[in-house]
C-alpha cells in the first residue's frame, strides 16, 4: 500500500492537469503552429512557464486503482502486476486465465 500522502498528491495533480488542460493546449498549439509570429510564440512559451509545474500531464503518476502502488502498473487493467496476479488467480478478472505450457 502506498502512502496516503502520495496518493493524495497524485489526485491533486490530476485535478490541476484537468483545470489547465484547455489553456495549455491553446498555448502549445500557438508554439507548434508554423504561421505563428515570433512574438506570439515567445508569449505562449512564457505563459506555459508561468503555469504551475503540476499543470503538465507528465507529472501525473499511473497508480494501482486498489492500493496505489506506483510501479508495475498495467494500463489495460488499471492494476499493478502484483494485484493483477492476485485478482486473476481469484477469478475477479473475466476472461483472464492462468497460462501454462
Amino acid at each position: 500500500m502506498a502512502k496516503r500522502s502520495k496518493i493524495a498528491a497524485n489526485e491533486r495533480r490530476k485535478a490541476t492537469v484537468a483545470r489547465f488542460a484547455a489553456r495549455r493546449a491553446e498555448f502549445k498549439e500557438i508554439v507548434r503552429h508554423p504561421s505563428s509570429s515570433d512574438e506570439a510564440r515567445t508569449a505562449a512559451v512564457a505563459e506555459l512557464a508561468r503555469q504551475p509545474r503540476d499543470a503538465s500531464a507528465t507529472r501525473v503518476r499511473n497508480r494501482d486503482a486498489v492500493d496505489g502502488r506506483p510501479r508495475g502498473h498495467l494500463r489495460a487493467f488499471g492494476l499493478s502486476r502484483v494485484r493483477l496476479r492476485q485478482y486473476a488467480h481469484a477469478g475477479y478478472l473475466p476472461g483472464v486465465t492462468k497460462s501454462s505450457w
Side-chain angles (χ1 to χ4, degrees), residues 19-98:
R19 192 168 60 241
F20 284 92
R23 290 183 61 201
R24 281 186 67 84
E26 290 173 13
F27 292 129
K28 287 177 88 65
E29 187 58 34
I30 291 171
V31 171
R32 250 183 265 146
H33 205 273
S35 65
S36 299
S37 66
D38 289 338
E39 296 83 20
R41 188 173 287 120
T42 304
V45 169
E47 180 57 36
L48 282 171
R50 238 181 297 183
Q51 289 184 349
R53 180 179 285 180
D54 285 342
S56 175
T58 59
R59 300 273 295 182
V60 176
R61 177 80 182 195
N62 287 330
R63 290 184 172 269
D64 187 325
V66 178
D67 65 358
R69 180 180 164 85
R71 304 283 180 108
H73 180 266
L74 299 171
R75 187 176 296 205
F77 297 96
L79 300 171
S80 68
R81 60 182 178 78
V82 177
R83 190 69 54 185
L84 176 76
R85 188 168 192 268
Q86 287 176 350
Y87 277 20
H89 285 309
Y92 296 147
L93 302 175
V96 176
T97 57
K98 183 174 186 284

